[in-house]
């Protein structure tokens, strides 16, 4: 059983848990449209699938939208993407963004995924000269529609290679693709734990199929939690991680660097040309009713921190799957008041006997405010904090009980599908 935010009765029946309280949407927010139901992101932000997020009713809410470029080719046609290498015309006059882009761009690729008449493009990051490439699960599964999509990879020099899917991890929305190619340039990975708000952030990828695109901005928030639709392929048990779940909660870096559909799986880079994040979603305040349209950049994008991505990637490369921690309890948002809509933690509704939470002494009514060094202000943040840890990791949990603050060490269990 997972500590999933806002469990519905049907979700609980599937997970075998007692239902937790289902909170009504806050005033002025609406669920976004998409192939799967929209969910809440942080404090009042909702998520959707790769199609455009819509707003209906009286309010307009931002929506986190997967950023890969869906372009279903017509029968008998071949989907193409535009290749543009990074060129420095005047090496005597460059800035930090120019230097970072020139260093990191050779390690960023464009990925084409297709299955039947459906297809789309995303981006990826070369991890090693052996040909392992990090990208998003929703890129290689066509947003969860295909278990065995055909993959092609265009490298920075314009050459195209067939790719194979090494493994996917739906709970983190990360995947590994492999190609066999000479002269690959491995990315230089930075330390996302040192990222600060206001740092320059450079996004590199293939928005709208335009490979080698570079944009820049700043880190808008270093610790954000979003909830987005799961992209597990039909019947997939990949990564033992949530193949049957409707949504996932992940911790991300927020940036205003312009990223758009097609940037999924691409690089968020610092001024040293080091990868600090894997671009995964954008926020949208759009109000389109077309299910085939896609949202564009409004200055709020999200990237999976590279420190988290590196652990998942190493596990997938080593075993084909990745592990994630699980507490073994049901939680709900702890409201700060009666009308503000603010939350102050994740309140435990029920604890599974014999689970990690039970062994650590957590009880119904406890309000968890921190896990593994992550501040927890709502149920989604608790789920994300647990999931970013490997199964079996021991982390510190801080919680309020009977008016006092307490802490305990928790050795996390393993998240399982469903």
């Amino acid at each position: 059983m997972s500590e999933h935010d806002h469990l519905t009765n049907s979700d609980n029946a599937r997970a075998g848990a007692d239902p937790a309280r289902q909170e009504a949407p806050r005033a002025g927010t609406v669920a976004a449209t998409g192939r799967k139901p929209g969910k809440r992101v942080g404090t009042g932000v909702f998520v959707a699938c790769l199609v455009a997020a819509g707003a209906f009713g009286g309010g307009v809410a931002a929506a986190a939208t997967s950023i890969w470029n869906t372009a279903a080719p017509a029968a008998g046609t071949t989907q193409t993407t535009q290749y543009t290498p990074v060129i420095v015309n005047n090496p005597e006059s460059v800035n930090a963004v120019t230097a970072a882009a020139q260093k990191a761009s050779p390690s960023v690729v464009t990925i084409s995924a297709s299955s039947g008449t459906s297809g789309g493009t995303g981006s990826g990051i070369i991890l090693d000269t052996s040909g392992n490439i990090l990208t998003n699960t929703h890129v290689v599964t066509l947003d969860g529609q295909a278990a065995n999509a055909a993959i092609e990879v265009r490298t920075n020099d314009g050459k195209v290679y067939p790719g194979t899917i090494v493994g996917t991890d739906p709970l983190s929305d990360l995947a590994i693709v492999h190609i066999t190619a000479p002269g690959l340039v491995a990315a230089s990975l930075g330390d996302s734990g040192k990222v600060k708000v206001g740092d320059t952030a450079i996004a590199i990828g293939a928005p709208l199929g335009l490979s080698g695109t570079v944009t820049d901005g700043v880190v808008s928030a270093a610790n954000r939690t979003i909830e987005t639709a799961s992209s597990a392929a039909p019947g997939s048990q990949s990564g033992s991680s949530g193949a049957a779940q409707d949504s996932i909660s992940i911790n991300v870096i927020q940036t205003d660097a312009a990223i758009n559909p097609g940037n999924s799986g691409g690089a968020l880079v610092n001024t040293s040309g080091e990868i600090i994040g894997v671009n995964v979603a954008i926020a949208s305040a759009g109000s389109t009713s077309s299910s085939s349209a896609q949202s564009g950049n409004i200055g709020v994008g999200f990237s999976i921190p590279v420190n988290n991505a590196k652990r998942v990637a190493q596990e997938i490369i080593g075993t084909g799957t990745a592990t994630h921690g699980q507490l073994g309890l049901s939680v709900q948002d702890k409201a700060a008041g009666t009308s503000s809509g603010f939350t102050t933690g994740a309140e435990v509704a029920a604890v599974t006997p014999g689970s990690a939470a039970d062994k650590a002494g957590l009880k119904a009514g406890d309000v968890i405010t921190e896990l593994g060094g992550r501040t927890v202000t709502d149920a989604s943040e608790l789920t994300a904090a647990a999931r970013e840890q490997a199964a079996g990791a021991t982390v510190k949990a801080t919680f309020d009980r009977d008016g006092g603050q307490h802490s305990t060490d928790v050795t996390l269990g393993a998240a399982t599908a469903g």
Side-chain angles (χ1 to χ4, degrees), residues 19 21 26 36 55 80 83 85 96 109 123 137 151 166 188 216 227 234 241 268 309 344-345 370 383:
R21 178 178 63 86
R26 295 177 174 84
K36 296 176 184 174
T80 61
Y83 165 65
V109 302
S123 305
T137 292
I151 304 295
V166 176
S188 176
D216 75 304
E227 192 176 350
S241 56
L268 191 69
T344 58
E370 186 176 310
T383 300

Side-chain angles (χ1 to χ4, degrees), residues 68 113 134-146 165 167-176 229-233 236 238 241 248 264-265 278 280 304 312 316:
W68 72 292
L134 178 63
T135 186
N136 292 136
T137 292
H138 71 258
V139 170
V140 299
T141 65
L142 300 176
D143 197 50
Q145 296 182 84
I165 301 172
T168 62
D169 181 52
L171 265 189
S172 64
D173 200 359
L174 293 170
I176 295 292
S230 171
S231 294
S236 170
S238 181
S241 56
I248 60 172
S264 279
V278 182
V280 66
I304 300 168
V312 172
I316 295 176

Side-chain angles (χ1 to χ4, degrees), residues 16-400:
D18 293 330
R21 178 178 63 86
Q22 183 178 0
E23 186 179 72
R26 295 177 174 84
T29 64
V30 295
T33 61
R35 287 194 180 91
K36 296 176 184 174
K39 296 287 185 177
R40 188 174 54 77
V41 183
T43 54
V45 185
F46 285 74
V47 302
C49 293
L50 59 100
V51 295
F56 40 91
V60 178
T65 307
S66 299
I67 44 170
W68 72 292
N69 187 38
T70 54
T77 65
T78 301
Q79 182 182 329
T80 61
T81 60
Q82 296 192 29
Y83 165 65
T84 307
V86 173
I87 299 173
V88 178
N89 291 319
N90 185 2
E92 303 279 328
S93 177
V94 298
N95 57 29
V97 174
T98 307
Q102 190 173 30
K103 177 181 177 180
S105 289
S107 303
V108 180
V109 302
T110 302
I111 297 175
S112 171
S114 61
S115 179
T117 59
S118 298
T121 56
S123 305
I125 302 166
I126 299 173
L127 295 179
D128 53 47
T129 56
S130 298
N132 290 305
I133 296 169
L134 178 63
T135 186
N136 292 136
T137 292
H138 71 258
V139 170
V140 299
T141 65
L142 300 176
D143 197 50
Q145 296 182 84
N148 298 292
I151 304 295
E152 286 188 330
V153 177
R154 170 173 272 166
T155 54
N156 184 254
D157 59 6
K159 296 178 181 178
V160 178
Y161 301 92
T164 57
I165 301 172
V166 176
T168 62
D169 181 52
L171 265 189
S172 64
D173 200 359
L174 293 170
I176 295 292
V177 168
H178 183 269
I179 63 172
T180 299
L184 295 177
V185 179
S188 176
L189 304 185
D191 183 355
S192 55
K194 295 181 179 179
V195 169
K196 302 183 298 294
V197 172
D199 284 351
T200 296
I202 302 150
I204 306 176
L208 308 177
L210 303 173
S211 62
T213 295
V214 177
T215 58
D216 75 304
V218 299
V219 172
S220 307
N223 297 290
R224 182 76 71 201
T225 299
I226 63 172
E227 192 176 350
T228 188
S230 171
S231 294
S236 170
Q237 298 297 316
S238 181
S240 69
S241 56
Q245 293 190 181
D246 290 331
S247 65
I248 60 172
S249 297
I250 53 177
N251 287 319
V252 292
I253 298 167
Q254 182 181 318
T255 180
D256 68 346
I259 53 180
N260 284 286
N263 271 117
S264 279
L268 191 69
V269 179
N270 62 20
T271 52
S272 297
E274 299 170 329
I275 311 300
I276 56 172
V278 182
N279 297 325
V280 66
I282 56 175
S284 171
S287 57
T288 177
S289 60
S290 171
S291 62
S292 62
Q294 286 185 307
S295 299
N297 171 67
I298 61 168
V300 184
F302 307 109
S303 297
I304 300 168
V306 73
N307 290 5
N308 301 344
K310 182 162 54 175
R311 177 189 71 80
V312 172
Q314 289 171 340
E315 291 190 19
I316 295 176
I317 292 169
T319 66
T321 62
T323 66
H324 296 275
Q326 178 165 283
L327 287 167
L329 42 71
S330 296
V331 291
Q332 59 193 16
D333 293 349
K334 175 63 175 178
T338 57
S339 61
S340 69
F342 294 126
T343 56
T344 58
E347 184 175 6
V348 178
V351 177
T352 303
S355 67
D358 185 35
K359 293 175 182 177
L362 292 170
K363 300 178 180 179
D366 291 345
V367 178
I368 301 174
T369 57
E370 186 176 310
L371 184 73
R374 289 274 188 182
T375 298
V376 173
T377 62
D378 61 25
S380 288
E381 290 183 349
L382 178 62
T383 300
R387 294 291 187 263
E388 75 178 8
Q389 301 288 336
T394 298
V395 295
K396 180 181 178 181
T398 301
F399 58 96
D400 296 333

